[in-house]
Amino acid sequence: QKEVEQDPGPLSVPEGAIVSLNCTYSNSAFQYFMWYRQYSRKGPELLMYTYSSGNKEDGRFTAQVDKSSKYISLFIRDSQPSDSATYLCAMSPNYAGGTSYGKLTFGQGTILTVHP
Amino acid sequence: DTEVTQTPKHLVMGMTNKKSLKCEQHMGHRAMYWYKQKAKKPPELMFVYSYEKLSINESVPSRFSPECPNSSLLNLHLHALQPEDSALYLCASSRERTGIQHFGDGTRLSIL
């Protein structure tokens, strides 16, 4: 079993739809939860991150973390064709007091297409 | 525009060539990373530098040789690569003690 599971899709939705992307994980030590968006032939772009539990909102994007269920979500409201990309969830422990770098564990990525 | 800059964007090389990939960041981050990414897969960690010292080598073949000349620069020296090494090579950086990494747009490498 992988440490982080993410449905690879592909996911195809009409413009304006609400998109829900999810990841589950098994490592209780994870404290930082990230969502990256990767366009074709580009590097992953940090979209949002959350520390520990809770929700975070940024414009049309909302990230949720439920540590009791080991489940994280990214919601995209009013989806646009420009949101078409691969979305990667990634997680790491809190390294405070330990190492000075953060090793990420990625999900497999979900390919999203928003059609006009 | 990303805050992590990688050059070149594309590289085609033969199996006997020697080339280098370069990465630069000016965010004051003290941890820098090299990743390899194949199509439709997540990035795969290769090396981690922390305070300019190599901290992690994920059992990468010796034909890949990393170098960190200073806190802003990271190089990946390539020699005698194999066709299966064709991939997108990504550089990333992060602040101390967090996994919140910022990626460059990568170098797309093709081995003939």
Side-chain angles (χ1 to χ4, degrees), chain B residues 46-47 57 59-66 76-81 85:
Chain B
M46 299 174 71
F47 303 103
N57 175 342
S59 303
V60 179
S62 59
R63 57 186 184 266
F64 295 91
S65 174
L76 186 63
H77 303 297
L78 314 173
H79 175 54
L81 295 194
D85 297 323

Side-chain angles (χ1 to χ4, degrees), chain A residues 62-75:
Chain A
T62 300
Q64 289 184 351
V65 174
D66 181 349
K67 293 189 76 179
S68 61
S69 304
K70 295 191 175 69
Y71 187 87
I72 71 168
S73 301
L74 178 71
F75 296 96

Side-chain angles (χ1 to χ4, degrees), chain A residues 25-112:
Chain A
Y25 63 95
S26 57
N27 188 343
S28 301
F30 289 145
Q31 295 276 8
Y32 286 96
F33 302 92
M34 277 72 67
W35 286 97
Y36 289 90
R37 177 175 63 194
Q38 187 171 21
Y39 292 115
S40 180
R41 301 190 171 276
K42 293 285 193 179
E45 171 194 2
L46 181 64
L47 209 50
M48 299 183 74
Y49 73 89
T50 310
Y51 177 70
S52 194
S53 280
N55 295 356
K56 193 170 185 179
E57 191 172 318
D58 183 3
R60 297 184 294 110
F61 298 88
T62 300
Q64 289 184 351
V65 174
D66 181 349
K67 293 189 76 179
S68 61
S69 304
K70 295 191 175 69
Y71 187 87
I72 71 168
S73 301
L74 178 71
F75 296 96
I76 307 174
R77 289 183 297 283
D78 187 24
S79 56
Q80 303 294 310
S82 58
D83 295 326
S84 300
T86 297
Y87 290 79
L88 292 152
C89 65
M91 309 176 188
S92 77
N94 183 349
Y95 291 94
T99 63
S100 60
Y101 52 83
K103 195 172 172 182
L104 286 181
T105 303
F106 284 94
Q108 289 300 296
T110 300
I111 301 170
L112 171 68

